[in-house]
């Protein structure tokens, strides 16, 4: 099965994406005239875009299941070579857990006002803060690695 997907996987993925796009285009074109004739306030309540949204959601779930399935299969079948990747994932999870646990909930200011308007909980605010700090840390590490590798290449 692995050989089949490694040979034909891109073609199958492209074909499924083209099929979903064609189905959406057909459903949209068949109802576009009626959609344009509707009042602007009634347009968001139509189901004209449902075929595209459902199709893209189904393709996303299929891709996610394939990603997880093949990842677990490759890790289980070749565990010794997967250790570096697993260590990298563990480091990313550890960085996020540290930043999540150290992030604070804003009780005053613009962020607190926005959180009250949107109805976000304290846990959601901590998740957002932890995610942002993790992104900043990883961006700084990536930029630093880029600069150091270019300096190293300059002196080679």
């Amino acid at each position: 099965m692995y050989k089949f997907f490694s040979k034909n996987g891109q073609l199958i993925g492209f074909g499924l994406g083209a099929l979903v796009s064609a189905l959406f285009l057909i459903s949209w074109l068949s109802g576009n005239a009626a959609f344009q004739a509707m009042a602007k306030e009634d347009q968001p309540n139509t189901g004209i875009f449902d075929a595209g949204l459902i199709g893209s959601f189904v393709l996303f779930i299929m891709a996610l299941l394939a990603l997880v399935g093949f990842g677990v299969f490759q890790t289980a079948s070749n565990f010794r070579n997967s250790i570096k990747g697993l260590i990298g994932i563990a480091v990313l999870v550890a960085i996020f857990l540290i930043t999540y646990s150290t992030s604070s909930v804003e009780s005053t200011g613009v962020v607190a006002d926005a959180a009250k308007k949107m109805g976000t909980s304290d846990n959601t605010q901590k998740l957002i803060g932890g995610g942002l700090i993790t992104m900043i840390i990883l961006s700084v590490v990536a930029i630093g690695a880029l600069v150091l590798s270019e300096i190293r290449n300059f002196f080679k």
Side-chain angles (χ1 to χ4, degrees):
M1 181 172 223
Y2 178 77
K3 288 182 181 180
F4 173 76
F5 280 121
S6 67
K7 182 179 179 184
N8 301 318
Q10 288 182 335
L11 179 64
I12 292 170
F14 180 76
L16 285 173
L19 178 68
V20 168
S21 297
L23 289 174
F24 170 69
L25 189 62
I26 291 168
S27 73
W28 177 71
L29 287 175
S30 66
N32 189 34
F35 179 75
Q36 294 297 329
M38 294 177 81
K40 292 286 185 193
E41 58 272 357
D42 292 335
Q43 286 180 351
N45 300 328
T46 65
I48 192 169
F49 301 108
D50 289 351
L53 292 172
I54 292 169
S56 61
F57 182 72
V58 168
L59 285 177
F60 175 75
I61 295 298
M62 287 173 55
L64 189 64
L65 289 174
L67 173 84
V68 171
F70 284 119
V72 168
F73 175 74
Q74 289 297 324
T75 302
S77 65
N78 198 357
F79 186 74
R80 188 173 293 270
N81 291 339
S82 301
I83 291 176
K84 288 182 184 178
L86 293 173
I87 290 171
I89 291 171
V91 168
L92 289 176
V93 169
I95 290 171
F96 176 74
L97 290 176
I98 291 168
T99 58
Y100 170 76
S101 63
T102 59
S103 66
S104 63
V105 176
E106 296 291 329
S107 58
T108 60
V110 178
V111 175
D113 293 340
K116 286 178 187 174
K117 282 183 182 178
M118 294 187 297
T120 57
S121 66
D122 292 346
N123 188 38
T124 304
Q125 286 185 41
K126 285 186 74 163
L127 281 172
I128 293 169
L132 287 172
I133 295 168
T134 301
M135 181 211 51
I136 291 168
I137 289 171
L138 294 177
S139 297
V140 168
V141 168
I143 291 170
L146 178 71
V147 168
L148 290 176
S149 67
E150 288 300 319
I151 290 172
R152 189 187 74 168
N153 286 340
F154 179 73
F155 290 112
K156 273 190 169 181

